[in-house]
Amino acid sequence: MSAQPKRQILVTNALPYANGPIHMGHLLGYIQADIWVRAMRAMGHDVTYVCADDAHGTAIMLRAEANGISPEQQIANVQVEHERDFAGFLVDFDHYDSTNSDTNRKRSEEIYLKNREAGNISVRPVTQLFDPEKQMFLSDRFIKGICPKCGAHDQYGDSCEVCGTTYNATELLNPYSTLSGATPIEKDSDHYFFQLPNFSEYLQGWTRDEGRLPVSIANKLDEWFEAGLNDWDISRDAPYFGFEIPDAPNKYFYVWVDAPIGYMASFENYIAAKRPDLNFMDFWKKDSDKEVYHFIGKDIVYFHALFWPAMLHGANYRTPTSLFVNGFLTVNGEKMSKSRGTFIKAETYLQHLNPEYLRYYFASRLSDKVEDADLNLEDFSQKVNSDLVGKVVNIASRCAKFINTQFDNKLSKTCSENDLVNEFITAGESIIQHYEQREFSTAIREIMALADKANQYIDEKKPWSLAKDPANADEVQAICSVGLNLFRQLVIYLAPVLPKLANEVQEFFKLESFDFASRTQILLDHEIATFQPLMQRVDKKAVDAMVDASKESLQPQAEKTAQKAEKKQVDKAETKADASEFIGIDDFAKVTMTVAKVLECNKVEGADKLLQFTLDVGEKDEQGQVKTRNVFSGIAKFYQPEQLQGKTVVCVTNLAPRKMKFGMSEGMILSAEKDGQLTVILLDDAIPAGATLA
């Protein structure tokens, strides 16, 4: 591969919100970006990598209030934790900032004022929901109610998680404040709007520029253009933790205004602190030849692919070269769960496992496609143990001991397998291209194919057998020298993924350079250090301990109370002389009560008392798809179907199926009864379908 001209590149990651810890779902995007940055640097490019905490908004203000500290102290505390966790996973930012910086305030005001001067800002009154107890306007995230379209309960004020409809908070049915529980009232306030429709034609072209966005994302954005873009409400009323809008007392920039501008401010602060040789405007002027890339999750594409480029364009700044978008993370094929211990915080992982295990596993799953990734903990252990320990590190451990003990730490003066070593060197051209294209999983497959060849070579040559006869000394040295040269090639290729391992191997080989270009050198008559063990196998006990440490009981208090009451009754029954009126614990154990999600609830035509339920009780068919149950319940007198749609209920799942006039009923939904009134027992929605009550 011919040498590329040195490129100047700015890379940013989505800004983590300063309201909670970093977890596995966050790390997918940060590890992906860090690998790419390291790979581009290994190619010889000048890459700057910055990030910051997203530090503004009502949620920050309320969290600080709950903790009895100022918002500034709240975000400072969280930033320390975030930087610690990123460093723990070897995510090596050049600069990590906060959006609550003076630099960001000035840059946000500038971009706003330029857009205002260009006619892209308007002001008009807005009717909002106001919490009469907290005495504050409520953002969408602090309002819940019934979806006006599908009737699903407990939906947020901007969109329904059940049917996907977007709406204004004032359209919710039976809204309530999540802060106080009070019923909000409607109240008018002047709001400031960014006139996004002014940029509709520009954005339609921008999103279709080659390489700007993943094609799947550009196609999705077409739906917004077809529906017509709307003005974007960029203001929030006091009390609010953020930047006050110029010339607008008690009005604050909505967090999504100054958050992406935080990319620019973090870079600006980095230049001031560490890289005065760089020029801010060289990267951000309209005709810049520098490259700017944002690594983001698919949940924030709308802000980054519409609002952000429009704000920049309106203020006469350049826009990002590309948006690199990753999907969500599941664990063991399911959404991360606190009750199952699969909602794993970065801090918890680091207490039990090597961070490079996760970096490698993610790399083996990542591509340039916008796809969700699954962290299967069993596969995770097997893959790390097989690939890294069983294949890569094993090469060095099989060869180094002979060079250390029998050849005074010196490799052979000549290479006995030039063709094989050069095959590994040439393979780097393809691997490097895959890194640049963010096809990490393909790069890993090619690296592991080389590792198989290296192990096959050593297995065929059997240096451990040859070493038994001193007459074979030269041959043993030659074989082990080839093996170590191959090992070095593999680790150079893996260095963006495994930087700590690469540093240790670089020290073992006593080399000054370990970038991609250095792979072309074959080490001859070269002195190595004494080999030390490089990586241990994943211990299943450590994985189990991590999961156990991540578990959080989500059992509702009412359920706990009921279980305590049941236990008292059972204890009482077992000690009573005449227990004929009671059931024994064995009888009770026969009933299987399973947590179920109501996927559908409908009236039954021709049956005034029945509702028909389609339930997810955690069962799967042979293809791994959700296997639903059909259940009829005589509660139509007490509930409308929409009241139970999407709810979490209890179903007796080992009740014999009952054939009814309207179909087969495959269970019974538990309700409580008093004075003829039936009330369905509802559970916390966080409890997973299939969990059993014990």
Side-chain angles (χ1 to χ4, degrees):
M1 177 184 289
S2 59
Q4 298 182 43
K6 190 173 186 177
R7 294 150 58 185
Q8 285 194 302
I9 301 170
L10 172 61
V11 175
T12 76
N13 261 127
L15 311 184
Y17 200 44
N19 200 34
I22 301 300
H23 56 69
M24 294 295 100
H26 291 126
L27 286 168
L28 183 68
Y30 296 101
I31 288 175
Q32 180 185 34
D34 184 78
I35 291 172
W36 194 76
V37 166
R38 291 177 184 273
M40 296 303 286
R41 285 176 176 160
M43 295 176 209
H45 303 306
D46 184 2
V47 186
T48 300
Y49 183 28
V50 302
C51 194
D53 267 356
D54 183 0
H56 289 154
T58 305
I60 300 289
M61 180 182 70
L62 294 172
R63 175 61 63 89
E65 179 183 310
N67 291 337
I69 56 178
S70 68
E72 289 80 5
Q73 187 60 54
Q74 168 70 26
I75 62 177
N77 293 345
V78 172
Q79 184 169 341
V80 169
E81 295 174 2
H82 285 182
E83 291 192 65
R84 174 203 66 199
D85 291 343
F86 286 133
F89 278 92
L90 310 172
V91 176
D92 189 20
F93 298 112
D94 290 305
H95 184 71
Y96 195 87
D97 217 303
S98 167
T99 58
N100 193 46
S101 70
D102 191 53
T103 304
N104 197 36
R105 178 184 60 78
K106 291 176 181 177
R107 193 63 67 180
S108 297
E109 290 176 353
E110 177 213 353
I111 289 175
Y112 166 78
L113 290 172
K114 283 184 176 179
N115 274 290
R116 189 177 73 177
E117 291 164 8
N120 298 323
I121 305 295
S122 63
V123 184
R124 63 176 181 268
V126 170
T127 300
Q128 292 177 273
L129 295 183
F130 184 84
D131 187 325
E133 292 188 16
K134 296 289 286 186
Q135 284 295 298
M136 62 184 292
F137 286 100
L138 295 169
S139 65
D140 297 336
R141 292 286 97 180
F142 297 108
I143 305 165
K144 280 191 171 183
I146 300 173
C147 172
K149 182 176 181 180
C150 74
H153 285 237
D154 293 326
Q155 298 306 306
Y156 285 111
D158 55 353
S159 63
C160 177
E161 294 178 342
V162 176
C163 69
T165 300
T166 58
Y167 42 70
N168 292 322
T170 52
E171 298 178 75
L172 277 177
L173 306 178
N174 298 335
Y176 65 91
S177 166
T178 62
L179 304 179
S180 67
T183 300
I185 60 174
E186 293 188 358
K187 192 172 181 179
D188 288 345
S189 173
D190 282 341
H191 271 228
Y192 291 69
F193 289 83
F194 180 80
Q195 295 179 301
L196 192 62
N198 292 357
F199 300 87
S200 181
E201 184 177 348
Y202 168 75
L203 289 171
Q204 287 184 67
W206 187 88
T207 57
R208 286 296 179 182
D209 285 346
E210 186 176 356
R212 188 82 71 182
L213 292 167
V215 174
S216 61
I217 296 295
N219 291 339
K220 182 67 177 177
L221 290 172
D222 280 345
E223 298 176 12
W224 295 95
F225 294 127
E226 291 170 7
L229 301 179
N230 297 317
D231 287 354
W232 177 36
D233 189 343
I234 62 169
S235 66
R236 294 295 184 266
D237 293 279
Y240 191 84
F241 182 58
F243 296 141
E244 198 168 39
I245 298 175
D247 309 319
N250 293 319
K251 303 290 181 179
Y252 292 81
F253 286 128
Y254 172 45
V255 62
W256 269 107
V257 174
D258 62 78
I261 297 172
Y263 299 141
M264 303 171 78
S266 182
F267 180 56
E268 197 169 1
N269 285 337
Y270 168 65
I271 291 173
K274 303 173 185 175
R275 284 292 301 272
D277 58 303
L278 297 178
N279 183 284
F280 177 83
M281 286 307 299
D282 282 351
F283 281 79
W284 289 101
K285 63 185 178 182
K286 206 80 168 181
D287 59 349
S288 173
D289 62 349
K290 314 304 181 194
E291 301 170 54
V292 177
Y293 300 101
H294 298 320
F295 281 79
I296 61 171
K298 66 181 181 181
D299 55 325
I300 54 176
V301 163
Y302 187 75
F303 295 103
H304 283 79
L306 296 179
F307 297 138
W308 178 226
M311 281 199 303
L312 288 169
H313 188 68
N316 205 35
Y317 281 110
R318 62 87 51 83
T319 55
T321 307
S322 294
L323 301 181
F324 297 150
V325 184
N326 64 268
F328 298 137
L329 179 72
T330 57
V331 179
N332 293 337
E334 299 180 294
K335 186 177 179 180
M336 292 188 296
S337 164
K338 292 181 180 179
S339 62
R340 290 191 297 269
T342 56
F343 189 95
I344 304 166
K345 294 189 291 187
E347 179 184 20
T348 307
Y349 178 103
L350 291 170
Q351 290 169 353
H352 297 89
L353 294 168
N354 183 337
E356 292 197 305
Y357 296 161
L358 188 71
R359 289 177 65 98
Y360 178 76
Y361 191 75
F362 279 171
S364 73
R365 293 289 181 268
L366 285 166
S367 72
D368 66 339
K369 305 295 188 298
V370 187
E371 298 173 336
D372 293 346
D374 183 53
L375 171 58
N376 181 292
L377 293 175
E378 183 176 347
D379 181 56
F380 161 80
S381 299
Q382 291 176 349
K383 190 167 190 63
V384 170
N385 290 341
S386 172
D387 289 2
L388 296 185
V389 181
K391 293 181 181 180
V392 178
V393 172
N394 188 48
I395 297 169
S397 62
R398 297 169 88 185
C399 297
K401 63 179 180 180
F402 294 110
I403 301 296
N404 287 148
T405 60
Q406 298 185 24
F407 304 103
D408 197 24
N409 301 320
K410 277 288 188 74
L411 301 180
S412 296
K413 294 181 180 181
T414 59
C415 179
S416 61
E417 299 286 347
N418 274 303
D419 288 346
L420 179 60
V421 175
N422 281 314
E423 180 185 347
F424 274 51
I425 292 172
T426 303
E429 296 181 12
S430 172
I431 291 167
I432 291 167
Q433 287 180 348
H434 292 316
Y435 271 122
E436 180 165 3
Q437 295 161 2
R438 303 181 328 284
E439 289 284 358
F440 299 160
S441 59
T442 305
I444 293 298
R445 282 198 298 274
E446 292 189 6
I447 294 168
M448 287 304 128
L450 293 177
D452 287 336
K453 286 187 178 182
N455 279 292
Q456 182 181 1
Y457 166 76
I458 296 168
D459 287 341
E460 290 174 352
K461 297 297 183 179
K462 296 180 174 55
W464 53 88
S465 295
L466 293 172
K468 295 176 182 178
D469 185 349
N472 298 325
D474 289 347
E475 188 177 358
V476 170
Q477 184 183 24
I479 293 167
C480 292
S481 296
V482 168
L484 289 176
N485 267 285
L486 300 180
F487 168 69
R488 170 175 154 269
Q489 302 288 347
L490 295 173
V491 179
I492 286 174
Y493 297 145
L494 287 168
V497 180
L498 308 171
K500 182 175 179 293
L501 176 70
N503 286 338
E504 292 172 351
V505 172
Q506 184 177 356
E507 291 178 3
F508 165 66
F509 279 109
K510 299 184 178 182
L511 294 171
E512 292 184 6
S513 179
F514 215 69
D515 59 12
F516 287 150
S518 70
R519 79 187 196 282
T520 58
Q521 175 192 9
I522 300 176
L523 301 181
L524 301 174
D525 196 25
H526 182 83
E527 184 178 346
I528 63 172
T530 301
F531 181 75
Q532 302 293 334
L534 292 170
M535 185 172 283
Q536 303 300 317
R537 294 174 61 84
V538 179
D539 186 349
K540 185 179 184 302
K541 292 180 180 178
V543 175
D544 292 342
M546 176 186 69
V547 171
D548 288 341
S550 301
K551 285 181 179 176
E552 180 177 315
S553 176
L554 299 180
Q555 187 182 35
Q557 189 59 42
E559 188 181 324
K560 292 180 181 178
T561 303
Q563 287 184 358
K564 287 180 180 178
E566 289 173 357
K567 186 176 186 303
K568 286 182 179 179
Q569 289 283 43
V570 171
D571 291 344
K572 190 175 181 181
E574 289 177 343
T575 57
K576 194 168 182 177
D578 183 7
S580 59
E581 62 182 296
F582 298 100
I583 65 171
I585 188 66
D586 291 337
D587 295 310
F588 178 78
K590 293 177 182 177
V591 181
T592 302
M593 293 180 287
T594 306
V595 175
K597 304 289 183 180
V598 180
L599 303 180
E600 290 184 29
C601 181
N602 299 291
K603 290 184 177 179
V604 179
E605 188 173 344
D608 295 336
K609 296 182 179 180
L610 291 179
L611 291 181
Q612 183 268 330
F613 291 81
T614 301
L615 301 179
D616 173 9
V617 296
E619 298 173 332
K620 306 284 185 182
D621 61 20
E622 293 180 357
Q623 287 73 42
Q625 302 299 311
V626 173
K627 181 181 178 182
T628 61
R629 287 206 183 199
N630 185 71
V631 174
F632 293 93
S633 182
I635 56 174
K637 177 181 176 182
F638 309 100
Y639 289 91
Q640 293 299 312
E642 58 266 24
Q643 291 178 277
L644 296 171
Q645 182 83 30
K647 294 295 186 182
T648 302
V649 299
V650 180
C651 179
V652 177
T653 50
N654 64 339
L655 192 68
R658 179 186 175 194
K659 188 174 182 179
M660 304 177 69
K661 174 182 177 182
F662 308 99
M664 187 72 74
S665 185
E666 302 170 293
M668 181 177 70
I669 293 175
L670 295 191
S671 298
E673 187 273 339
K674 185 175 182 181
D675 299 328
Q677 178 73 31
L678 289 178
T679 303
V680 174
I681 296 173
L682 300 178
L683 302 179
D684 190 314
D685 289 339
I687 303 177
T692 56
L693 277 65

